[in-house]
Amino acid sequence: DVFTVCFLGTFSKHFDLSTSIAAARKLQQAGSKMRFVLCGDGDYLDDCRQSASDCRNIIFPGWIDEAKMFILLRRSSVGLNPIIDRYDFLATINNKAVEYMSAGLPIVSCPRKGVLFDLIHSEKFGESFEYGNSEDLARILMYLSHHLDICAEMSRNAKRLFSQKYNADLVYTEMIGHLEKILMECKRKH
């Protein structure tokens, strides 16, 4: 029954977890019962643990297996996707977003630009916060924790989008079709 924010990934320079930790600290100080479960391993894990040593609302389970990920994704309220503001990240939809969608998990992501930002807002399956702004992230999470009906709608939208565009059967079928077209074009030219 606790509003749970999860992150599954590598603790690396590719994710802005310091802003997430700062937001968790602000929410704890405000008396929120929200919980952050930040799973994974990486070069920055120890730094994140040290930075969050005063945050009782953050859990660092470390690396977890596929079965535990499956359960965590379905017991969480939102998935955190704090990608850094870098042009190549902004031009794609990362695996983490698709993984969250597969579980019907609303995505809370940054920055407020790029392909993922546009998709989140056109399909209404999450929210975006300003890069590096822990106040903005805390505000969004507090709002969502008090509007579970909105989270439920975002969850339905995430599941729908995943099944329509990102499930493996569809993706592989489209990829095979595309490769066959390339092959036919090459044969035609030779």
Side-chain angles (χ1 to χ4, degrees):
D1 293 334
V2 176
F3 191 88
T4 301
V5 178
C6 80
F7 169 82
L8 300 171
T10 303
F11 288 78
S12 71
K13 62 183 180 179
H14 299 136
F15 294 102
D16 177 21
L17 291 164
S18 61
T19 299
S20 304
I21 291 168
R25 182 175 292 109
K26 290 176 191 319
L27 290 163
Q28 176 180 278
Q29 291 168 348
S32 169
K33 301 295 183 203
M34 198 175 303
R35 170 178 50 207
F36 290 71
V37 182
L38 309 179
C39 301
D41 204 351
D43 295 340
Y44 291 95
L45 176 59
D46 289 337
D47 292 341
C48 287
R49 281 185 171 148
Q50 185 175 1
S51 174
S53 62
D54 62 326
C55 298
R56 295 177 313 282
N57 59 347
I58 301 178
I59 300 166
F60 291 98
W63 183 87
I64 60 174
D65 64 28
E66 193 173 327
K68 290 177 183 170
M69 279 192 279
F70 182 87
I71 292 168
L72 177 62
L73 286 170
R74 281 143 187 90
R75 290 187 177 173
S76 293
S77 308
V78 298
L80 189 59
N81 194 14
I83 58 177
I84 61 170
D85 189 354
R86 206 170 89 179
Y87 73 94
D88 52 338
F89 290 169
L90 300 178
T92 63
I93 297 169
N94 64 356
N95 292 340
K96 183 161 312 316
V98 175
E99 186 173 33
Y100 292 156
M101 280 187 273
S102 74
L105 202 56
I107 297 173
V108 176
S109 183
C110 73
R112 284 189 175 146
K113 59 184 173 181
V115 174
L116 180 59
F117 169 79
D118 292 341
L119 185 65
I120 285 173
H121 292 281
S122 68
E123 299 294 333
K124 297 179 178 22
F125 66 96
E127 287 289 339
S128 297
F129 62 98
E130 184 181 326
Y131 182 74
N133 188 330
S134 60
E135 292 277 340
D136 193 31
L137 175 56
R139 179 191 57 74
I140 288 168
L141 293 173
M142 187 62 78
Y143 175 83
L144 291 174
S145 73
H146 287 103
H147 294 88
L148 298 180
D149 56 326
I150 292 173
C151 279
E153 182 180 343
M154 288 177 175
S155 177
R156 288 188 296 274
N157 292 341
K159 284 180 190 175
R160 175 190 45 77
L161 183 62
F162 177 79
S163 68
Q164 289 176 350
K165 291 190 175 187
Y166 299 105
N167 77 63
D169 292 337
L170 178 65
V171 170
Y172 290 131
T173 300
E174 287 180 6
M175 185 175 76
I176 289 168
H178 181 68
L179 293 174
E180 286 173 345
K181 284 180 185 177
I182 292 171
L183 180 62
M184 295 304 284
E185 186 65 25
C186 287
K187 283 182 178 181
R188 190 180 61 77
K189 288 181 179 180
H190 296 290

